[in-house]
Amino acid sequence: MISYESLWRKLESIYGAGEAKALVRYVLEVKYGFTATDIYCGKITQLSAEACKELQKITERLMNSEPVQYILGSADFYGRTFRVRPGVLIPRPETEELCRWIIDSNRSVENQQVLDLCTGSGCIAITLALELTGTTTTAWDIASEALTTAQENAELLGANVKVEKQDVLLLNQKQSAKPQTARDRQWDLIVSNPPYICEKEKADMHKNVLDFEPAIALFVPDLEPLRFYTAIADYAFHALKTNGWLYFEINPLYASDLQQQLEASGFVHVETQKDQYGKTRFIRAQKCE
């Protein structure tokens, strides 16, 4: 007979007891609507034969290290449920911290024009659109899966977000991507969580990330760790309004290099912030000219 214990015991050797229990509870809650009380009272035994068979298949996929978010098709982010699918980066708790920093710093500012580059699921753009008063948000990405997912999430969550296809590495080569007048394509705030993991860091990464999440959203060449930051910062310096802000989620290994680069490019008030694990994970800079 299937039970909560029998399920997490199957996963224990892969995830450890604590994470295995959490994964099973999450699946039972999201997929079948069980509360913690239901789970501990053994109500899982009341599932239909069809549901039990489905649950066994989910467990097998988890045993293969497939991310639970892809299995269930959703991920929690900043108190909301976002749709995710293979080919789209799963929203991370660290990125919630980036959003919180932006929101806390801009609560009193209304009617901002915000641009989110490398939007993925749209989690940053949608969160800012819903949390900041009167914000008009645009989200750019190059991957079709990301664009579809971001658009679906914006519609599902009722966010005013314009989703567009754009290759951020070509921003400074395409005249159409640059502001045409003082009023056109001018942003108050630009934010990005671009690919920033070097190829050499793969050895330290988990199988569920390497085997299932999109490499295009994760990795950069070892010799160009700041490839996306350079392109985005160059564009931002020309496209931000005076006193506009640029925010990034970053690789802690290159925080100092990026800070120096932003300052050399003319940005001011360059500031880093640590994540909940004590790693320098975020940076912001202001354009004052």
Side-chain angles (χ1 to χ4, degrees), residues 165-167 170-180 235:
K165 185 172 185 178
Q166 184 65 254
D167 186 342
L170 300 179
L171 285 176
N172 301 299
Q173 299 178 27
K174 293 184 177 181
Q175 187 64 30
S176 61
K178 296 182 180 180
Q180 302 300 309
Y235 171 73

Side-chain angles (χ1 to χ4, degrees), residues 10-237:
K10 285 185 177 180
L11 301 174
E12 184 179 12
S13 62
I14 301 170
Y15 297 95
E19 188 174 354
K21 291 176 182 179
L23 277 171
V24 174
R25 288 196 301 268
Y26 185 71
V27 170
L28 293 174
E29 176 188 345
V30 174
K31 186 71 175 177
Y32 302 102
F34 285 127
T35 65
T37 301
D38 292 335
I39 294 169
Y40 294 124
C41 288
K43 287 194 176 182
I44 185 175
T45 59
Q46 299 175 13
L47 286 172
S48 67
E50 184 178 348
C52 286
K53 190 176 297 184
E54 180 182 44
L55 190 50
Q56 292 283 16
K57 290 181 179 179
I58 290 173
T59 305
E60 291 171 7
R61 293 172 69 179
L62 288 170
M63 291 175 68
N64 193 40
S65 297
E66 186 173 351
V68 67
Q69 294 91 345
Y70 288 156
I71 295 172
L72 300 179
S74 65
D76 295 331
F77 186 88
Y78 214 90
R80 300 180 178 89
T81 299
F82 284 75
R83 182 172 293 176
V84 294
R85 54 167 57 89
V88 179
L89 192 69
I90 297 168
R92 300 302 205 269
E94 293 86 348
T95 309
E96 286 187 321
E97 295 182 66
L98 173 62
C99 287
R100 190 168 294 109
W101 189 21
I102 295 171
I103 292 164
D104 288 346
S105 301
N106 290 272
R107 286 193 186 280
S108 61
V109 185
E110 297 185 358
N111 303 317
Q112 293 188 91
Q113 296 285 334
V114 175
L115 174 64
D116 173 28
L117 301 116
C118 306
T119 195
S121 65
C123 61
I124 295 176
I126 291 167
T127 298
L128 298 183
L130 294 174
E131 295 290 335
L132 295 176
T133 303
T135 295
T136 300
T137 307
T138 300
W140 287 350
D141 207 294
I142 192 174
S144 57
E145 296 92 341
L147 295 167
T148 298
T149 305
Q151 185 63 53
E152 290 176 354
N153 282 325
E155 293 172 1
L156 287 169
L157 294 168
N160 179 21
V161 175
K162 185 176 183 180
V163 179
E164 299 177 340
K165 185 172 185 178
Q166 184 65 254
D167 186 342
V168 301
L169 295 177
L170 300 179
L171 285 176
N172 301 299
Q173 299 178 27
K174 293 184 177 181
Q175 187 64 30
S176 61
K178 296 182 180 180
Q180 302 300 309
T181 71
R183 294 178 298 174
D184 185 38
R185 287 296 198 193
Q186 291 288 295
W187 313 102
D188 297 284
L189 190 152
I190 293 176
V191 58
S192 184
N193 176 22
Y196 61 66
I197 302 172
C198 291
E199 294 285 339
K200 64 185 178 184
E201 298 178 74
K202 284 184 176 181
D204 298 322
M205 297 178 67
H206 294 297
K207 176 180 172 65
N208 62 327
V209 176
L210 287 174
D211 290 357
F212 293 96
E213 296 204 60
I216 191 175
L218 291 168
F219 299 109
V220 289
D222 291 342
L223 297 178
E224 294 183 273
L226 300 180
R227 167 187 280 185
F228 285 89
Y229 298 101
T230 299
I232 294 169
D234 286 348
Y235 171 73
F237 194 78

Side-chain angles (χ1 to χ4, degrees), residues 270-283:
V270 182
E271 176 187 0
T272 60
Q273 188 167 103
K274 297 183 184 298
D275 64 18
Q276 59 185 316
Y277 305 108
K279 295 184 177 181
T280 303
R281 182 70 64 183
F282 317 108
I283 195 167

